[in-house]
Each structure stands twice: as structure tokens, then as C-alpha cells.
Amino acid sequence: MTGSSILMIYTGGTIGMKQDPKDQTLKPFDFSQILEEVPELGKYALNIDSYTFNPLIDSSDVEPSLWQSLATLIKDRYDEYDGFVVLHGTDTMAYSASALSFMLDNLTKPVIFTGSQLPIGVPRTDGKENLISAVEIAAAKDEDGHSLVPEVCIFFDSQLLRGNRCTKVSSEEFRAFRSPNYPALAEAGINIRYNRKAIAEPQDWSAPIRISTNLDTRVSILKVHPGITPQVMRYFLCGDGTRAVILETYGSGNAPSSQWFLDIVREAAAMGKVLMNVTQCLSGSVDMDLYATGKALEKIGVVSGRDITTESALAKLFCLMGDSKDNEWVKNRLGDNLKGEISK
Ligand code: ASP
């Protein structure tokens, strides 16, 4: 790790705020002065550069264009650095980390997203510990000199999680993220313990990084709920603006069994829409063979999202649809485990 170079990319969010002594309001601080704010980082013999997005944004304003800029920045600076730390608001961090995991191909270096619940400039902040550990992980190498974690991850409250497996579960607790269907890649205690069996190895350490920045965002997400009406269903599933629909269903992929419900799904399928079944449950998987409605959806052509998160399903669809105009091809690829986002 000694001598490694890290690029710290600040996009906005709570972590980079500090109190203005004049009026006590929270303002973003200058990341080029990061060592003044977090002098602990100076104890590592690392070369840390920073890049600050302009404008800085609250992550509720994140758009796919930010992901395109991030992917391009990482590709352009890839050879100069051993790892990347992305500072990002927590609200949409799971979406951004999922998107980057699909947009970066042949990744051999860590891209670690982090942020915080309390600004770095206030007492009791969780930002310092998150940032310091994220930097240490981004710089960590194995005995062969390869990065220990060549993946897009989220580091938060002492856990390193695969980015496309995460979801934000708390707006208050320091443990804001969970990866319900995949184990943590590392735990930071007195030492950082890497779960090396869970970390994906690149197929070829020498393959050059590639990025896919074509994204097709014509996706809608419909959470099935008691009392859902045909009007709402038809609007989401059959509207002109959507090419794909994520149906957030109950439990292991269940939905109402009424004829009108299945008829509208059939209508959307006949229009050629890509329909994906993702569970509303925090953990566990869709299994469309388990119940009659699940089976009926499968017969209509709805694709099982298995144990994917909604955030990851959205990002996967954006990327696959950006790659091809052929919806049948997209449906076939949805079942493939592209970046560790679904279990085998
Ligand atoms: N609203 C903020 C954001 O997501 C919250 C945070 O940074 O944690 O940008």
C-alpha cells in the first residue's frame, strides 16, 4: 500500500460539509485541502489527489450524466492511480455504485464509494472514519501487487459492501447500508479483515479498462400494492415512454391473481416491453415457480430478477438497453450474472 496513489473524487453530499465559523451554516469544504481537514490521512505514505465536481450536488439530484462523467474520469485517469474513492451523498449512492459497476469493464482497481450521515466538520462525524478506511482499502494490495478489492464497492460504518448489492436502509443510523443477499467484502475493526472468497477477481489483470456510457433510461418502477388500479398499471406498463418496467412484487415474486392484472401485463409483453420481476423484500429472491401468479407472470415473459436489488436492476437495464435496441437480447442478458449482482 505504501507509495500508492489514490484519486479522491468529490461529487457532493453531507460528507464534505463543514460549519462556516461566520454564520454556522454548513458549506462544502475545499477537497484540495483534505489533509487539513483529515490530518490522519497524512500518516499513510500515500499520494492522494482530489478532483471536485462542479457544481457539487446533493445526491438526490444525481442524474445518469453524473455516472457518465464519473466513468469517463476514472477511465481517463486510470493509469495514474492505484485506486479511486468517490465521495457521494448517501441518498442515491446505491444507484450510482450499481451503475458504475455495470459501466466499468475489466476493472482491476478499487472504486470505493463512501459518504457519511454527519458532515466531516462536526464532532461525532462518521465521515472521517469512513473516508480514512475507504482510502486504506483503495490502496490495499495483495502479495502479487494486485489490488485487494478490484470492484466497485460502498464502504460505510466499518463494512465494505459490493456496490451493486447495496441498499440504503436507514436515514439516521450510522449503518446506513446493507447488502442483504451477499456477504461483506471486508470488515474494519482493529484490522481490516478482507473476505477474500467473496471478492471477485478480474478475468485478466492486464486487460485495459473499458467503459460503456450508452444508457437508455426508459425504465419505470412499479411497486405492486393492495388496491392498485388498472389505470395505474396501464400507465406504468403500457405508456409510450417506457421500454422496460421493473415490477416490484411481493415475497418470492407474487402479484395479484386477478384477470385484469395479468391481462395488462400480457398487453405490455405483447407491446415488446422488457418486464422484470424484483421482490419488495429486503432479502431473499424471486422464485416464479413457487406460486401460481409467479408462474403466470413467467409464462407471459416476465423475467425473474432473482435476488437483485431494485437499484441494481435499474442500472442493469439502463446499461443493457444502452447497449442494444433489441429487447429480446436485453431480456436474455438480464438473467446473466454480469457483475456479481445476482447469486448463482
Ligand atoms: N441528502 C444527502 C445526499 O444524499 C444526504 C447525504 O449526503 O448523506 O446528498
Side-chain angles (χ1 to χ4, degrees), residues 12-15 57-60 88-92 116-117 168:
T14 300
I15 189 166
I57 54 169
D58 184 285
S59 80
S60 42
H88 192 292
T90 54
D91 290 341
T92 58
S116 65
Q117 297 283 56
K168 183 172 175 182

Side-chain angles (χ1 to χ4, degrees), residues 114-148:
T114 195
S116 65
Q117 297 283 56
L118 283 173
I120 234 168
V122 304
R124 295 187 56 247
T125 182
D126 53 331
K128 278 195 180 185
E129 134 70 10
N130 286 348
L131 177 60
I132 294 166
S133 299
V135 167
E136 183 168 333
I137 290 165
K141 301 273 175 80
D142 69 11
E143 29 314 304
D144 299 325
H146 292 137
S147 292
L148 261 180

Side-chain angles (χ1 to χ4, degrees), residues 6 11 19 23 25 27 34-35 50 56 93 95 99 112 114-115 144 147 152 154 179 235-236 238 250 255 267 302 321:
I6 302 298
T11 65
Q19 233 156 20
D23 57 7
T25 55
K27 303 231 167 79
I34 184 71
L35 288 182
S50 68
L56 291 167
M93 192 186 291
Y95 290 91
I112 315 291
T114 195
D144 299 325
S147 292
V152 178
I154 289 182
S179 163
Y235 180 81
F236 273 87
C238 305
Y250 306 128
E267 192 177 321
V302 177
M321 294 189 341

